[in-house]
């Protein structure tokens, strides 16, 4: 659901949201009170919310929503870039915050990230610490494109370009998903090094994780090339 008083912006959000598989716009509102009325009829998973509405601040609407629609996620899309508004959005549990004017690649990558995290949560009854760390990782550590040729050359601290290339080439050739210790033994690298690089590749969507349970029910994380 979109809450935005600029009709042109609404049309743009609708146009590009419909291009992302798995999303559908169920309603749109041009002010806060209309949004609250629509929420008595619709139960969207995600709200795209502006801060500057004609009748109330979007942040105030966010808190009203939190009182009765706790399962709904919210992404702020606004020209408001002051510290107070951004801080309040974080305290209100906003999934993300985009400052206008919005770049389309930023818009689509944010929704794709939301979809990915939501699906990951829905697929698992229990979540271990490693997965939690991924879910709470800042959005700017995940690049939007899934094509490795279009990724930035700037790597995070602790990730070496040559080592990354070596691990990337080896994980590609693995005939089946492998555990970190298995990959470390095959590659002759330390467990901590392999784990750090594989988790980084998960964050940029080059590698996927398969969760399996052993005889005692302890989950095993196995990694496989995702392309």
């Amino acid at each position: 659901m979109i809450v935005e008083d600029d009709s042109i912006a609404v049309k743009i959000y609708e146009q590009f949201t419909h291009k992302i598989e798995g999303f559908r716009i169920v309603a749109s509102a041009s002010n806060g009170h209309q949004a609250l009325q629509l929420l008595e009829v619709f139960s969207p998973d995600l709200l795209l919310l502006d801060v500057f509405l004609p009748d109330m601040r979007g942040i105030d609407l966010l808190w009203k929503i939190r009182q009765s629609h706790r399962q709904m996620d919210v992404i702020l899309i606004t020209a408001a870039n002051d510290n107070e508004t951004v801080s309040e959005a974080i305290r209100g549990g906003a999934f993300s915050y985009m400052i206008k004017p919005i770049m389309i690649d930023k818009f689509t990558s944010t929704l794709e990230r939301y979809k990915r995290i939501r699906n990951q949560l829905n697929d698992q009854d229990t979540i271990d610490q490693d997965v939690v760390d991924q879910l709470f990782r800042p959005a700017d550590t995940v690049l939007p494109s899934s094509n490795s040729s279009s990724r930035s050359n700037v790597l995070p601290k602790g990730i070496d370009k040559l080592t990354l290339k070596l691990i990337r080439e080896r994980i590609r050739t693995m005939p089946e998903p492998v555990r970190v210790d298995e990959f470390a033994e095959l590659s002759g690298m330390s467990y901590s090094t392999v784990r750090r690089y594989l988790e980084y590749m998960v964050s940029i969507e080059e590698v996927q994780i398969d969760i399996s349970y052993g005889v005692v029910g302890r989950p095993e994380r196995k990694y496989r090339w995702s392309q």
Side-chain angles (χ1 to χ4, degrees):
M1 178 173 163
I2 301 171
V3 183
E4 166 67 67
D5 65 327
D6 184 337
S7 60
I8 296 178
V10 171
K11 291 184 182 300
I12 292 173
Y13 300 160
E14 288 178 343
Q15 177 183 355
F16 286 96
T17 299
H18 287 154
K19 291 183 178 181
I20 305 174
E21 184 179 356
F23 285 92
R24 180 172 62 90
I25 302 297
V26 297
S28 61
S30 58
N31 60 61
H33 286 98
Q34 185 182 12
L36 291 172
Q37 290 176 346
L38 287 171
L39 288 176
E40 294 179 1
V41 180
F42 299 99
S43 298
D45 298 311
L46 176 64
L47 200 72
L48 303 181
L49 175 62
D50 189 13
V51 169
F52 298 119
L53 300 173
D55 56 347
M56 68 174 70
R57 293 175 66 245
I59 292 296
D60 295 331
L61 178 59
L62 172 61
W63 285 111
K64 288 179 180 292
I65 289 170
R66 283 285 167 261
Q67 294 174 10
S68 55
H69 303 278
R70 296 183 62 178
Q71 293 184 330
M72 188 183 309
D73 296 308
V74 177
I75 293 177
L76 274 295
I77 306 179
T78 177
N81 61 356
D82 59 284
N83 180 285
E84 180 181 355
T85 302
V86 175
S87 299
E88 193 77 356
I90 294 173
R91 287 191 289 269
F95 176 83
S96 187
Y97 193 109
M98 291 186 278
I99 299 175
K100 295 178 179 178
I102 303 299
M103 301 298 292
I104 294 306
D105 58 347
K106 173 66 175 177
F107 180 87
T108 55
S109 66
T110 299
L111 264 62
E112 288 282 7
R113 177 173 175 265
Y114 170 78
K115 180 177 69 172
R116 183 171 65 253
I117 289 178
R118 183 179 176 87
N119 289 341
Q120 190 170 1
L121 288 171
N122 289 339
D123 289 343
Q124 301 182 48
D125 293 328
T126 60
I127 302 176
D128 61 29
Q129 185 62 57
D130 289 337
V131 176
V132 170
D133 290 343
Q134 292 178 49
L135 297 176
F136 281 86
R137 182 179 289 118
D140 58 4
T141 63
V142 181
L143 298 176
S145 173
S146 59
N147 186 344
S148 60
S149 65
S150 65
R151 301 190 191 284
S152 169
N153 291 323
V154 179
L155 297 173
K157 184 178 180 180
I159 302 296
D160 173 73
K161 181 179 179 180
L162 295 179
T163 305
L164 177 61
K165 180 180 179 182
L166 177 62
I167 292 180
R168 180 182 287 143
E169 290 174 351
R170 290 188 176 177
I171 193 70
R172 277 177 173 170
T173 62
M174 292 294 175
E176 57 185 18
V178 293
R179 300 192 308 268
V180 172
D181 58 339
E182 293 174 334
F183 192 95
E185 183 177 355
L186 291 170
S187 62
M189 300 181 186
S190 70
Y191 179 97
S192 60
T193 296
V194 168
R195 184 177 181 278
R196 181 170 68 252
Y197 280 80
L198 288 178
E199 288 295 336
Y200 169 70
M201 294 170 73
V202 169
S203 75
I204 61 174
E205 302 178 319
E206 285 187 344
V207 167
Q208 292 184 358
I209 295 175
D210 291 340
I211 304 293
S212 61
Y213 291 85
V215 292
V216 295
R218 184 176 179 180
E220 281 188 341
R221 293 164 63 84
K222 294 188 176 183
Y223 299 79
R224 60 183 171 85
W225 184 249
S226 63
Q227 299 182 22

